[in-house]
Amino acid sequence: MMFLAAAGALIAAMVLALARAFAGPTVYDRILAVNHIGTQTVLLIAVMGFITGRPDFLDISLLYALINFVATIAVLRYVKRGRSTADKES
Amino acid sequence: MLHAVGLFAVLFGTWILLSGHFTPFLLIAGAVCAALTVAITLRMDLLDQQRDFVGPVWRLPLYWLWLAGQIILWSLIVARQVLAPRLDIDPVLQRLPCSQRSDLAKVMYANSITLTPGTVSTDVGDGEIEVHALTRAAMEDLKSGDMDRRVSATEAKRTKAAAADAP
Amino acid sequence: MILDILSWISIAIGAFFVLVGGIGIWRMPDLFSRMHPAGIIDTAGAGFLLLGLLLQSGDWLVSVKLVLIFVFLLFTSPVATHALAHAALLDGLKPWTRRRDKARDKDGEP
């Protein structure tokens, strides 16, 4: 029961962050929002594992935490790189 | 060399903790994977060289406990500000001095600042650190230098050799 | 039984902090002030949620994995936030401040 409430809170927060990812004026707002949607997904997968009674989900959760970090750094590098090459071309 | 053995032990320990199976095949596979990772790390020269700054390690858990208390305290404060009907925030961006000597302690200090809700470190320089704070109170709390001192306390004491080495 | 109650309380606190973080991400005026409520999700929200799950687990393998998830989050989230703030500052983004907002109010703009 408590797990369902936690999952509901996580999904609500994810919707709010998703709205920010759509609305965010700068690209960095979007990256921040997506990064935290990823964090909330990690928690949601862990909670889902407990709801369904299959702790194997935690492995996926662990992996997602690492991929989320690498993805954020990669996107940041891409944004910076893209900006600088665009400057050179113009 | 000791460092490489330590890395192997940590990697192999992580393998065992994550797998939870103790069949010979999986244990050997884990050892091979860990050894391969250590070999690649040595080949890429990624082991860090600043070994003379590692200080009293037993102080770290104490620091983490203090940090956890700090995080909960500031989480409540920031949560109150987020939920307030009228936003009562006053962000400031400022450079603060920091007294850490090793890169590791500096990273620890910057990460502690970022982990504490209400303050985010935005740039780490030589002897100073740029911080964005949500309110003036958060900035004042950081300016008191309490966290700075506690991080520095986990570093090694300044030995004569290190003092002669450092400018 | 006591463990159950403790874990429920912990999960409830964690869910509350996660919600606060989500609201903060939506509500704050600019990128830098948005990072602070977002930090609540990574530290207090994740911490209390995983602590609550930890009290329910009852299996050492599951407990170790929960602790590892928390440790990874603690190591990666400040680095990602720092990189984001640093990149935004280098890109010339100016933090929102109260004074500038007042000046804008005087000019009659919303």
Side-chain angles (χ1 to χ4, degrees), chain B residues 14 17-20 71-72 75-76 78-79 81-91 93 111 114-115 117-124 130 132-134, chain C residues 16-17 20 23-24 27-29 32-33 35-37 39-40 43-44 48 60-61 64-65 68 74-75 77-79 81-82 85-86 89 95-99:
Chain B
T14 314
L17 281 181
L18 285 183
S19 88
I71 285 174
I72 293 171
S75 293
L76 285 172
V78 175
Q81 271 155 357
V82 167
L83 294 178
R86 240 184 116 257
L87 273 186
D88 183 28
I89 58 170
D90 190 7
L93 186 70
N111 275 3
T114 312
L115 274 178
T119 49
V120 167
S121 64
T122 57
D123 193 12
V124 182
E130 198 177 32
H132 182 270
L134 188 62
Chain C
F16 165 74
F17 275 130
V20 166
I23 294 170
R27 219 185 143 194
M28 287 293 171
F32 295 98
S33 47
M35 282 173 177
H36 304 291
I40 297 183
T43 55
F48 278 110
W60 70 269
L61 201 61
V64 163
K65 277 174 191 165
L68 267 179
L74 276 192
F75 274 111
S77 83
V79 178
T81 309
H82 177 95
H86 192 69
L89 273 180
W96 178 92
T97 56
R98 183 150 284 276
R99 200 180 300 135

